[in-house]
Structure formats: C-alpha cells, structure tokens
Amino acid sequence: MEKIIVKGGNKLSGEVNISSAKNSVLPIIVATILCPDKVIIQNSPMLEDVNVICNLLNELNCDINISKINNSLTINTENIIPADANSELIKKMRASFLIMGPMLARFGYCKLSLPGGCNIGSRPIDLHLKGFKALGADVNIGHGIVEASAKKLIGNRIYLDFPSVGATENILMASVLAEGTTIIENAAEEPEVWDLANFLISMGADIDGAGTGKIVINGVKTLKGITYKPIFDRIEAGTFMIAAAITNSIIKINGVNEEHLRPLIEKLKECGIIFTEKDDCIIVDGRGDKKPIDIKTMPYPGFPTDMQPQMMSLLSIINGSSIITETVFENRFMHVAELARMGSKIKIDGRTAFIEGVQNLTGCEVKATDLRAGAAMILAGLIAEGKTEINDIYHIDRGYINVEEKFKNLGADIIRISK
Ligand code: UD1
C-alpha cells in the first residue's frame, strides 16, 4: 500500500502541463468497439481507470498497443468477442458499463453484471436501459445481470429524466449504427460528451447537436478507423487552479480550454482569484484577499460535482461563511469528515454543507475517500501546518497522472511512500 505525504506551507510557482481528459478517454476507448478498423488515440494518460478499460478490451480479445513515447493507444477490435458478464474488470469500474451501447450496436447482444454503488452514491443505470429499450432492445435484469438483445436497433426519440453523462454516451454509441434517426433530449452537455461525439463524427458518424441538450443521430452503416487526440482534462486543470488559490501562489497551467472551465473560473473570480488567459494556457494568481462564496453543483454548464471536494478545501480556509449544495450525487460529502480531522469547520444538512472558514488547517492522517476527495486532501495538505498523510491513494491514481511529480515540480513538498 502506498500513501502520499504532503508538508504544508510551500508557495507554488512555475507551470504544469494538463493531460487528456480521463472522462473523454474512457468512452472513446470503448467506442472503438463500434469499428473493426485500427484506431489510434493520442496522448492518452495511462491512469488506473484507463488500464482497467484497456485490460477489459484485452480480455475481450482486442489488440491494444501502448506507446510509451507519446502515450498513444493503438486499438484493434476486429476480433472482439462478447463480454463475459462475470468479468471482474467490469465489476471493478462503473464506466465499464459503457461497453453495453457499442456491444449492442456491434453484436445485437450484451450481457453484463449490474454496476454496484460507489462511495459517492447509488448511481443507477435506469436511463441507460431506457435508451436501449427505446432503440428496440429487449432488456432483462435478474440475479445481478443485465441482458440486452435486439435483432436490429432502430432510431427513436429518447428523453432523459436527468442529463446523465454515462446514459447520454451509452445511448449515443448504441445509436450511431442504428437504422434511422435517434434524438436524445435533455442530453448531458458535458465537454466529454461533445468529445466522444466529435470522435465518432471523425469515424464517419452523423451526429448533430452534441454539447447541447438535444443530440440528433442519423444512423450510418459503418465507421472507419482514425487517429484522434482527446480534449484536455478540465478537472485536473481545475484542481491546479485551486492549488494556486489555496497556497496564495501564481502558476501557469498549460492545456486549458477556458470555456470548459468557465463555471469554475467564474466562481474562483468571485472568490478573488485573478486569471490571465492566453491560447490554451492560463495564469492563475491566487495571491489576493479571498471572499467566501456559495456553490451549487449542477450538470454542465453548471458547477461540476467533480470540483466540489477540492473547492471545499479552499473554502475551509477562507474567512467567513460559504455554502456548498451538492445536487448531482446524493452522498458526495465523505471528505468532510477528513477535512474536519484537519481542523475545518463544516456542518452538513442533507445535501448542503455550511463552511465556516478557519485560519489554518493542521496536518494529520487522512483518507482519500474517493477520487476527487483525494485531490481535496492533497490541496488541504498544501497549506496545513505540518505533515498530512493521505491513505487509500489508489483512488487518486484513478484520475490524476503523476500527481505528486506535477505538484513537486511546482514547488510543493510532496512524496509518495510505500507503507
Ligand atoms: C460521469 C463522470 C463523473 C462525474 C459525473 C457527473 C465519467 C467516466 N464519469 O459519471 O466523473 O462525476 O459524470 O458529472 O465520465 N443517474 C440516474 N440514472 C442513470 C444514470 C445516472 O439516476 O441511469 C444519476 C446518478 O445516480 C447521478 C446523476 O445521474 O446522481 C449523474 O450521473 P451521471 O451523469 O450518469 O454520471 P456518470 O456518467 O456515472
């Protein structure tokens, strides 16, 4: 078991390069199932979640080559076989359920184990299944297994009760090869959905409106192999923005699509952080006085739930009262207990956290209760007095590549040790 140790108090300076978005790369890898040609995905961060999805495709008899030189993935799914419902890899990661859409499109059949809950909420899949049924699939659930089959998928109009990212992506992938037109209404507008659609369009799919609440897909007969570079990771970039803010530092972040980060940037500006934008980099000046703020997480373009824990670390040390309301996941306040161990003053009432800023946090032993909560612990550790020891860091490795190296290069006192 490994842990990350942060000694607080160092100012940060210099620049950091942002990797490609985990939440783009995962569905894009899965979407290669739709086409038997070779696909090259450039600049793929070799995160733990990416390893899991690559191992899953390997298990399904696909060829995957990982180039260590430019981190490109070459994937050939020509000889893919139907998924084994009992695969441990599918059970291991919720995003694996995204293979159902492309598998249904390619084989007219897919059987998978139901994804379990996770630390941040129950995370059902009813909307994914509603979409497959609307496209003409028979869907049966029993003994923890979902089985979907269709002689052929036929386009339909699908309204999502909630703009779920995963459901939008799964239905999008199922419908690109379906007969006729599919319309997804109240679709997720997240940049990663747009990126997946852009990838599919480059392969020859006919998709209009991705990145808005209404996506129109005209089914095509086949797709072709391509080379593709996914977008930058807005959540990784956002985490470094908060690192500058929390340490009263100025840093340059390379690999930022400022539009994707607007919901976070606007809130940080309200706090008193200054941004200078230039092409695809941004300078974040967190040296000024900071004000408390109120935040409500929402589907994009609202404030991202994946930035909520990191923002809580920052608000913990801003003088005054801040409020965070979490509307996307029902149980995403696990980090509050960990921040409390470090001296923060936060009260929870249902989905709302009331934060009273304290002057300083104190380092101690904490846990990464989930991926973004782990990032929040690193951020809190950067300004805490003394040593913060973060356990369960496998969560952090799911979504941040070379995390301690990136922070160390900025001047943080941070190391990873084996227990
Ligand atoms: C994706 C992201 C995750 C992010 C989340 C919300 C990936 C790999 N992960 O997760 O980092 O935190 O979007 O931005 O891209 N829901 C239903 N029924 C469904 C599906 C979802 O009720 O069929 C609910 C969930 O329980 C949750 C909400 O919708 O409360 C949002 O979930 P969703 O947008 O689907 O998140 P994921 O795709 O799992």
Side-chain angles (χ1 to χ4, degrees):
M1 292 288 265
E2 293 181 319
K3 55 165 106 176
I4 286 177
I5 299 182
V6 190
K7 283 192 193 136
N10 284 13
K11 286 251 183 198
L12 304 184
S13 62
E15 43 192 284
V16 60
N17 296 329
I18 298 305
S19 303
S20 295
K22 165 182 89 77
N23 288 352
S24 274
V25 171
L26 295 178
I28 285 173
I29 292 175
V30 164
T32 61
I33 294 174
L34 290 163
C35 166
D37 295 348
K38 187 173 81 179
V39 174
I40 300 173
I41 303 166
Q42 292 177 325
N43 233 5
S44 171
M46 287 321 292
L47 298 158
E48 200 36 47
D49 275 7
V50 175
N51 281 329
V52 171
I53 213 90
C54 286
N55 288 340
L56 174 61
L57 287 195
N58 262 328
E59 190 176 278
L60 299 178
N61 209 29
C62 302
D63 255 7
I64 305 200
N65 248 302
I66 304 168
S67 156
K68 292 247 157 58
I69 304 162
N70 59 359
N71 280 341
S72 71
L73 294 176
T74 305
I75 305 178
N76 191 326
T77 66
E78 188 182 359
N79 300 316
I80 191 167
I81 51 169
D84 172 1
N86 290 315
S87 161
E88 286 305 317
L89 291 168
I90 291 172
K91 291 180 191 159
K92 195 168 172 179
M93 189 175 67
R94 190 184 149 81
S96 306
F97 194 73
L98 288 176
I99 72 169
M100 185 157 263
M103 280 291 200
L104 254 183
R106 178 124 172 218
F107 293 110
Y109 180 77
C110 186
K111 194 170 160 186
L112 296 178
S113 56
L114 275 168
C118 66
N119 291 353
I120 60 173
S122 63
R123 302 180 88 172
I125 46 151
D126 55 319
L127 299 172
H128 301 235
L129 302 184
K130 178 181 174 181
F132 300 145
K133 283 182 197 161
L135 295 174
D138 268 340
V139 177
N140 292 301
I141 302 182
H143 305 284
I145 302 274
V146 193
E147 194 172 10
S149 57
K151 281 217 171 68
K152 71 174 164 190
L153 296 173
I154 298 175
N156 202 347
R157 199 169 174 147
I158 300 158
Y159 176 84
L160 298 179
D161 307 324
F162 183 89
S164 151
V165 174
T168 304
E169 291 171 344
N170 225 341
I171 298 166
L172 177 62
M173 290 187 280
S175 61
V176 284
L177 298 174
E179 191 179 292
T181 301
T182 301
I183 300 174
I184 311 176
E185 287 169 314
N186 201 24
E189 300 179 27
E190 267 70 0
E192 295 77 19
V193 174
W194 173 88
D195 205 20
L196 170 65
N198 198 38
F199 170 75
L200 293 167
I201 291 168
S202 311
M203 290 174 100
D206 181 349
I207 303 167
D208 197 33
T212 75
K214 183 176 174 184
I215 307 179
V216 180
I217 306 119
N218 290 307
V220 295
K221 289 241 157 15
T222 52
L223 299 175
K224 63 174 191 304
I226 54 158
T227 297
Y228 192 78
K229 187 165 170 239
I231 57 172
F232 294 118
D233 197 312
R234 64 193 164 105
I235 307 301
E236 189 193 19
T239 302
F240 282 102
M241 287 176 182
I242 295 182
I246 208 165
T247 57
N248 297 310
S249 303
I250 177 163
I251 64 169
K252 184 176 171 211
I253 306 177
N254 302 315
V256 174
N257 184 327
E258 173 271 331
E259 203 187 311
H260 297 167
L261 278 143
R262 189 117 307 269
L264 173 69
I265 290 174
E266 286 307 315
K267 278 293 167 189
L268 286 173
K269 278 185 181 169
E270 218 180 295
C271 253
I273 315 306
I274 298 166
F275 292 89
T276 314
E277 293 142 21
K278 202 173 154 225
D279 301 325
D280 62 2
C281 73
I282 199 160
I283 295 167
V284 190
D285 186 348
R287 295 172 298 177
D289 285 343
K290 298 179 187 68
K291 291 192 282 290
I293 53 164
D294 294 346
I295 287 170
K296 194 181 210 176
T297 66
M298 302 277 272
Y300 190 85
F303 188 89
T305 175
D306 283 354
M307 287 307 306
Q308 181 261 103
Q310 303 91 312
M311 202 65 187
M312 196 178 287
S313 293
L314 174 63
L315 297 178
S316 294
I317 49 110
I318 296 181
N319 191 25
S321 312
S322 297
I323 298 176
I324 295 183
T325 307
E326 171 61 59
T327 76
V328 180
F329 290 110
E330 74 266 29
N331 187 25
R332 201 165 197 177
F333 283 142
M334 305 279 285
H335 44 284
V336 172
E338 303 305 308
L339 283 174
R341 293 164 64 79
M342 299 177 75
S344 69
K345 282 198 183 145
I346 304 168
K347 280 196 181 125
I348 304 289
D349 184 5
R351 290 187 163 206
T352 305
F354 299 90
I355 303 149
E356 272 309 312
V358 293
Q359 285 230 303
N360 53 357
L361 299 176
T362 48
C364 64
E365 196 156 346
V366 290
K367 267 193 310 212
T369 50
D370 66 58
L371 164 54
R372 306 303 170 186
M377 291 304 116
I378 294 181
L379 294 172
L382 292 175
I383 37 97
E385 273 173 22
K387 200 165 79 171
T388 301
E389 291 189 33
I390 309 168
N391 294 295
D392 294 353
I393 59 169
Y394 56 89
H395 284 298
I396 302 176
D397 293 334
R398 288 186 36 225
Y400 291 90
I401 196 86
N402 302 335
V403 69
E404 67 279 10
E405 263 171 63
K406 287 189 180 186
F407 275 109
K408 204 183 290 169
N409 287 341
L410 290 170
D413 187 340
I414 180 169
I415 49 162
R416 175 184 294 250
I417 58 160
S418 293
K419 280 196 267 186

